[in-house]
Each structure stands twice: as structure tokens, then as C-alpha cells.
Amino acid sequence: MRIRIWSILALFVFSALVTGSAHAQQQQDFETAVAGLNARSFSAKQQAVEAVVQTAHPRAAAVLDAMLDRRLYVRREDNKVVIVAPAQAGFMLVDASTGTDLGAVEQRTVKRISTNNRLRSALRTGLAKLNLGDPSADVRLAAVGQIIDNFDETSAALLQEAAEQEQDAQIRELMEIGVALGGLNAADPEQRMAAVATMKGSVNPEVRNRLTTLLESEQDERVIKAVNSALAAIQDRLNRFALIETIFFGLSLGSVLFLAAIGLAITFGVMGVINMAHGELIMLGAYTTYLIQLLLPNYIDWSLLLAVPAAFIVSGLFGIAIERGVIRFLYGRPLETLLATFGISLVLQQLVRTTISAQNVPVANPSWMSGSWEINSALSLTLNRLYILLFALLVFAALQLILKKTSLGLQVRAVSQNRNMAKAIGIRAEWVDAMTFGLGAGIAGVAGVALSQLTNVGPNLGQSYIIDSFMVVVFGGVGNLWGTLVGAMSLGVGNKFLEPYSGAVLAKILVLVFIILFIQKRPRGLFAQRGRAAT
């Protein structure tokens, strides 16, 4: 028993000594490689970068990242490689090899280690190789993409080794494509064909470029046929992704049109009022977002959540004031209503110019709405448009619940179908008119919050959407929410499909001509009202 204990202790001590020796050797190799980064020639620096990567030292990524970020310097007095950080009197130094704090120095006591484009490419590749073992799947995926974009002779073997350990299917597939890129240089035509087969259908730009280059130099007819087949499959996938992207942008445009038009559809459908100030109610919602961000500059990420109810209340109150102060005296006189609301729109524009600014004002995007969702290298969806599309559907669902499940919705439907009968059974039609106009105006304000994330916010913001809003309402069917939704999405997608062939301006003209011809055949739109309201 005593012998066994001594044996275990001896084995433990031996293992500790071996491990310590290995760590010491790794540290020594790392320090030598880091010192080589200060070489005179760029080729020697590139070799030093590769040596740093091969050490797999815990500080290797930090050193390469500092060099790529132009923060790697050498101390003049002893040629020690250091990482610098700005300080009040010069630089704070950290030993690149050990991470030891070396204190503050004057700027003239250190010299930056220079780089060029080729060396920076080697640094990015080196960082990517180090990141292949990172616990984060996103980091590993980005690393594989970086290696493929800067592919060299050693990349295939590196990716092959990493693919054997990789558990994520998407990352492993991309690694196998990287290995196949190395196989394109094989002397055996069978190996080249196998590599082409692996890459068939991949939409990575480097794959397409390498296959095109191979096609120009390839002599074997079988390989040429395989490459042509692979390129055709890649183009087919690219076309499908382009179609998906066009539909997405069409739906995002449709969601903007829907948000701009839905409030108009409510007021126009119930009261028959042509509200030319509707665009300015949208503009008030956008300015409400701006003012909230101005008051809460440190809470931009939360500003939209506050702006939505605030814009609804502000625009809704303005809408009720317009209905109670002007429109209720003009029912039954559509031309005078149109002129009066046009005058109100000019007043609201001037009010904003006077009280806030005559110039466009900046409205920031929250961090969670910035950037894009990259599905693959050929398809990415911008997050702000994706969120606005989802938001438009939520607004539609909320309005459906209000109109179908609340007493206000019941009274709105009663007044819109037969005003006189609604009055006869005790419904206060005037109160319903005010609430309906306020609801439509509030939704316009909410639309302004969404538009503030897509376009410039200025006094003329609403003028850009008032005509489109009327087109959507007439096309979908006056007073019908489903018609407004379907009409807005249809016009948005149709517009985006026409733009590549005709241009943005001509596409709008073609859409307008289509609506005119459509209304000639179906004057009541896609979803016509039924019952007494349709007569």
C-alpha cells in the first residue's frame, strides 16, 4: 500500500515537471516569435506571425490583434515588443509576451511596428486559425470564413483537422468546403472532381471565384463538365436567394405602406373623410420619437418602447382636436373637408418648423435594430426592416381585436354600416366619430415611429406617404383592414419587382397606372364593403 502511494506521488511530480517544462518551452517559443514581429522585412514579419500562431500561446490572439489594430510597438531602449494604450502624457505599455504592465512612457520612446496589406491579410488569417478552437460557434464560423477568404497552402490541412473535431453541422460543412478548395489544386482529376462535387451549390463568393478560375485553366473534359454543373447549381441558388431578398424588401415596403395607410383606412371607411393632414399625423409620431431620444440620450435601446405609446397618444390627441374643432362641422361636404385638412397639414408643418427645427433631425436606431441577420453569404435581412414588418403585423392584430372584441369596435362597425340606424338605437355617433378619428390618428403616429427608423425625419416626412396611403386604401377596399393589409403588401412587392427593370420613379408610375385600371374594373377595391355601407 505504501509503495503504491509513493508511486502515485512520483507520477504526479513527474507529470508536473513535464507540464512545467512544456509550458516553459511554449513561453520561450512564443517570446522568440513575438520578437520576430519587429523584423526589418515584411516577409520575415509574416513568418513571425505564422510562428506566433503555431505556438498556440494564450496571448497569441491578443498580440496579433494589437498588431492588426496598429497598437503593437517596440521600445527603443531595448527593442522589447509592447502593446500600447493611449495615456494623458503618451502611452501605457504592456509587455506583449507576458502581459506585464510596464507603466507610462512618452510617445517618442516607442516606435510602431509597421504593416502592409499582405501582412494584414496574414494577421487576419492567423487570428482566424487561433479562433478555430474558440468555444463560441459564432467566433469559429467567422474564423472559417476568414480562412476561406484568405486561402493558402496550409489552410486545407488546418480546416481538415478542425472539421474532425467540430460538432456544429453548419461550421463543419463550411470547413469541408474549405478543404475542397485545396482539392482543386490536386494533380489527380478524380480528386479535383470530388472537390467540385463538394462545393456544388455553395454560395460562398470564394468558391465561385475559384471554380471560375479553374474553368479557365482546366484541360480535363470531365472536370470541365463538373465545374459547369456546379456553377449552374450555384447560380440557381443565387437566383432563389435574390428572389427571397426581393420579396422581403417588398414586404418591408408593404409594411411601411400598411402602417401609413391603416389609420386613413379607419377614418375614411367610417366617416368618409378625406384627411389630407394624415401625413402630418405620421410626422408628429416621428418627432415624438426624436424628442424622447433627446430627453433620454442614455436609453436609446429603450426609446422605441416608450415612443410607441407616446406617439399614439400625441397623434391621437391631435386627431381628436382636429375632428372636434374642424371636421365635425364639415360632414357631408367632402371638398371643403379636403381643403380644410390640407390647410391643417400646412399649419402642423409650420408648427414643427417653428417649435423644433426646419431641418431634418437625427433619430438613432437601437442596437437591437441595427445590422442584419446574415442567413448565408448570399442572403441577409436587415433587422430594422424585419422588426418593422413584425410590428406591422402586431398592429394589424391589435386593430382586429379592437374592432371585433370591444364595445368601441362594435359601435364603429355599426356607425360605418348604417349611421342613422346606429343613432336610432342610442349610439352616440359624434362620440364614435371622435374616437375613431383619434384611433386612426394614433395609428398614424405609431407609423411615424416605425418610419423614423427607416428615413429622415423632417417637416415634410408625411408628404412622402399621403398619396401612397390613399392608393393602398382605394386598392384594398375602403374601410377594410384585410384589404389594406393585402393591398399594401401587394403594392410593396410589385413595386420592388418592377424597380430593377424600370427604376424607382417609373415603378411608382406603373403601380399607379395599374391601380387606375384596376379601379375601373373593381371600383370598390379588392375587399369591397358589404351591406348598407356599400350602397
Side-chain angles (χ1 to χ4, degrees):
M1 183 66 181
R2 185 174 301 174
I3 295 175
R4 181 180 299 176
I5 293 174
W6 280 108
S7 299
I8 294 174
L9 289 174
L11 181 62
F12 177 79
V13 172
F14 178 75
S15 300
L17 291 173
V18 170
T19 302
S21 176
H23 286 169
Q25 184 63 45
Q26 183 191 39
Q27 181 65 31
Q28 183 179 353
D29 293 343
F30 180 65
E31 291 179 2
T32 302
V34 169
L37 296 174
N38 189 35
R40 290 181 177 273
S41 69
F42 286 112
S43 59
K45 290 180 182 178
Q46 187 168 342
Q47 292 175 2
V49 168
E50 294 172 358
V52 169
V53 173
Q54 289 174 1
T55 64
H57 192 275
R59 290 192 51 78
V63 171
L64 297 186
D65 186 62
M67 190 173 184
L68 185 62
D69 201 30
R70 302 165 68 90
R71 293 183 291 108
L72 196 67
Y73 282 62
V74 61
R75 194 163 58 182
R76 293 182 186 274
E77 63 182 29
D78 56 2
N79 288 330
K80 179 177 285 294
V81 178
V82 295
I83 299 174
V84 306
Q88 187 174 2
F91 287 133
M92 291 293 297
L93 303 187
V94 172
D95 190 326
S97 300
T98 63
T100 305
D101 188 359
L102 300 177
V105 298
E106 295 182 0
Q107 188 172 347
R108 60 184 176 83
T109 63
V110 292
K111 180 180 68 174
R112 183 172 59 83
I113 297 177
S114 59
T115 59
N116 61 7
N117 289 337
R118 186 173 182 180
L119 182 56
R120 283 191 287 272
S121 177
L123 287 167
R124 294 189 187 94
T125 303
L127 281 169
K129 291 176 179 178
L130 290 171
N131 289 334
L132 284 178
D134 195 278
S136 171
D138 291 337
V139 173
R140 297 199 304 277
L141 184 63
V144 176
Q146 186 66 51
I147 291 174
I148 290 178
D149 291 341
N150 301 276
F151 203 81
D152 57 27
E153 294 78 7
T154 64
S155 298
L158 181 71
L159 291 176
Q160 178 67 54
E161 181 180 353
E164 296 173 357
Q165 309 294 328
E166 183 57 53
Q167 301 297 319
D168 189 288
Q170 180 185 4
I171 300 176
R172 187 169 59 252
E173 181 182 358
L174 191 60
M175 288 178 173
E176 290 171 353
I177 290 174
V179 174
L181 285 173
L184 294 180
N185 300 323
D188 185 3
E190 295 294 335
Q191 293 183 15
R192 297 200 298 275
M193 288 180 63
V196 171
T198 301
M199 292 183 288
K200 189 173 184 178
S202 171
V203 294
N204 189 288
E206 184 64 21
V207 169
R208 193 178 186 188
N209 293 338
R210 292 290 298 273
L211 288 177
T212 303
T213 302
L214 178 63
L215 193 62
E216 296 172 354
S217 59
E218 182 59 52
Q219 303 296 323
D220 192 292
E221 290 296 330
R222 296 176 302 163
V223 179
I224 293 174
K225 183 178 179 181
V227 171
N228 283 325
S229 176
L231 287 173
I234 291 173
Q235 187 60 50
D236 184 57
R237 290 196 70 192
L238 289 175
N239 291 339
R240 290 202 300 270
F241 288 136
L243 176 63
I244 293 172
E245 194 171 56
T246 301
I247 293 174
F248 169 72
F249 279 110
L251 291 176
S252 68
L253 174 60
S255 65
V256 170
L257 294 177
F258 171 76
L259 288 171
I262 189 64
L264 190 65
I266 294 172
T267 55
F268 193 22
V270 175
M271 296 175 288
V273 174
I274 301 175
N275 180 20
M276 295 301 294
H278 183 76
E280 279 57 48
L281 295 171
I282 295 174
M283 177 260 294
L284 290 177
Y287 271 99
T288 301
T289 309
Y290 163 72
L291 292 176
I292 286 179
Q293 291 191 351
L294 199 64
L295 293 172
L296 303 171
N298 298 324
Y299 299 94
I300 298 298
D301 283 353
W302 299 95
S303 61
L304 285 192
L305 301 180
L306 297 174
V308 170
F312 181 86
I313 293 171
V314 170
S315 294
L317 291 176
F318 267 91
I320 292 174
I322 292 170
E323 196 279 334
R324 289 287 86 189
V326 178
I327 292 176
R328 73 187 179 101
F329 301 109
L330 300 175
Y331 286 128
R333 291 180 282 178
L335 181 59
E336 294 180 23
T337 305
L338 186 149
L339 293 174
T341 53
F342 178 70
I344 292 171
S345 72
L346 298 179
V347 171
L348 291 176
Q349 288 181 38
Q350 192 58 43
L351 175 66
V352 168
R353 290 190 179 96
T354 304
T355 58
I356 301 178
S357 172
Q359 307 299 322
N360 290 343
V361 295
V363 177
N365 284 359
S367 60
W368 47 272
M369 285 187 70
S370 303
S372 60
W373 174 28
E374 187 171 343
I375 299 174
N376 55 48
S377 55
L379 179 62
S380 61
L381 308 179
T382 53
L383 290 179
N384 58 347
R385 293 185 176 274
L386 183 61
Y387 278 117
I388 289 173
L389 174 59
L390 297 175
F391 179 66
L393 297 177
L394 287 176
V395 170
F396 173 76
L399 281 176
Q400 286 284 63
L401 288 175
I402 291 173
L403 294 178
K404 300 292 185 183
K405 301 295 183 180
T406 66
S407 60
L408 174 62
L410 180 62
Q411 293 178 31
V412 167
R413 285 183 285 131
V415 172
S416 66
Q417 292 176 17
N418 193 318
R419 178 176 292 268
N420 292 329
M421 181 62 71
K423 287 182 177 181
I425 63 174
I427 293 177
R428 295 173 57 193
E430 296 80 7
W431 180 85
V432 172
D433 289 338
M435 291 298 102
T436 303
F437 205 91
L439 177 62
I443 296 300
V446 170
V449 177
L451 289 175
S452 70
Q453 301 301 300
L454 297 176
T455 187
N456 294 325
V457 175
N460 297 319
L461 170 65
Q463 296 298 308
S464 304
Y465 292 94
I466 184 66
I467 301 301
D468 289 338
S469 298
F470 276 110
M471 287 169 50
V472 169
V473 172
V474 172
F475 177 61
V478 175
N480 190 297
L481 296 188
W482 277 106
T484 305
L485 178 65
V486 174
M489 296 301 178
S490 301
L491 294 181
V493 172
N495 196 293
K496 286 301 178 182
F497 271 102
L498 288 173
E499 280 185 6
Y501 305 101
S502 61
V505 176
L506 186 56
K508 283 185 174 292
I509 295 174
L510 292 174
V511 169
L512 178 59
V513 170
F514 165 74
I515 291 177
I516 293 173
L517 295 176
F518 180 82
I519 295 302
Q520 296 298 315
K521 295 294 184 182
R522 291 181 63 92
R524 294 175 182 169
L526 284 172
F527 295 83
Q529 283 188 340
R530 297 178 180 179
R532 294 180 184 271
T535 59

